[in-house]
Amino acid sequence: MNGYLPLGIQRNSHYWRQWRFVDSTGEPIDLTGATFEMDVKHSAGDPGVVLTSFDVALVDAADGRINVYLDGSTLAAVPGEQDSVTLAYDCIAVQSGYRLLVARGPLTLLPGVS
Amino acid sequence: MLTFPTHLFNPARITMRTAGSTISGGESLAGETDTIRTDGGGAWLIYMMGIELVTPDLIRAWRAWEDLLDGGVTKVLVPVADVRQAPRPIVGGAPGRPSALASDSEDPYFPEAVGFATPWIVATVVDAAALRATQLVINVARGARLKGGEVFALDHSTVGRRVYRVGRVLARDGQTATVTIRKPLREAVTAGAPVDFDWPSTVATLVPESDIAPDIGYGRHATVDIVFRESFK
């Protein structure tokens, strides 16, 4: 599983989605015992600091469901408050000693209105 | 100093050429010819071709720029828009795209500075280099390793912002590379000086006696070309 998945978030909002992992036959993938790392940086391989991290929590491990959450205000320090800013993220599942890339792509940080 | 809004006029083709002079001593009896440069590396000519003025705003803005450039009198910063060839960082497994391009002016057609909303490629000069140096040591802290052919700009305190081009990579250590550059450095640089691969631009003037007046068809549309020359005035 290494799907390209562009994400977007506004500075004044939260990203809160439930992801469900299924295999090629549509059967859920058992995530029992898995932990997740999902950081945001300016680009892949950037040796600089992690800008923020998503909060990933198992909802129903046997059914392959996780909650993915990020508060857009944690990126307040990123320049470009009135512009579209392109950042990078990836999501690594750590299970049974393996680090599996489950999603990666750009995270577009957008200005809010309200 | 105003920046020419390359990103708004959106030329179909941008070419950087060298203006300068070489001389040859003729062919020897053995059939050999020596050619040397006599201009210290020459200056950049920046050709922007196929600018389509398709809206009233663009036509008006072009006329205003024609007046501002004043036949080659006024110095401006001219971006060369080489984004695709830049040492782009990776996002999602492929060379990424930069953030939105933003200017600092309320009038988008006459910006003082133009750059991406957040720095895209981060690079610095590692070792100080003297005036007219043709080699630099550059570290790319965020972005791809240099390969040769990338265009960048340095901000000099006296001669202003100047554009250069990476030639060959002579040595490499991780993200740091010793490279040849053209043109020779217009001014000495100190260690730690930022290297701008994002939106490089150079101080230039319109090539004198250019005719850039838009030839407007049916009152609606014109196609114009323009050539800038690096300025040392």
Side-chain angles (χ1 to χ4, degrees), chain B residues 184-224:
Chain B
L185 281 182
R186 305 311 196 188
E187 191 174 324
V189 292
T190 56
V195 180
D196 184 2
F197 287 98
D198 281 5
W199 199 248
S201 56
T202 195
V203 179
T205 56
L206 180 67
V207 169
E209 298 182 19
S210 298
D211 178 8
I212 62 168
D215 188 8
I216 302 171
Y218 301 105
R220 291 173 174 268
H221 174 267
T223 303
V224 290

Side-chain angles (χ1 to χ4, degrees), chain A residues 4 42-44 46-47 79-80 83-88 104-106, chain B residues 89-93 97-102 117-119 141-143:
Chain A
Y4 175 80
H42 282 288
S43 65
D46 185 351
D83 289 294
S84 168
V85 176
T86 303
L87 304 173
R104 63 183 174 185
Chain B
I90 298 297
V91 173
R97 294 185 173 186
S99 301
L101 203 56
T118 195
R142 186 193 308 153

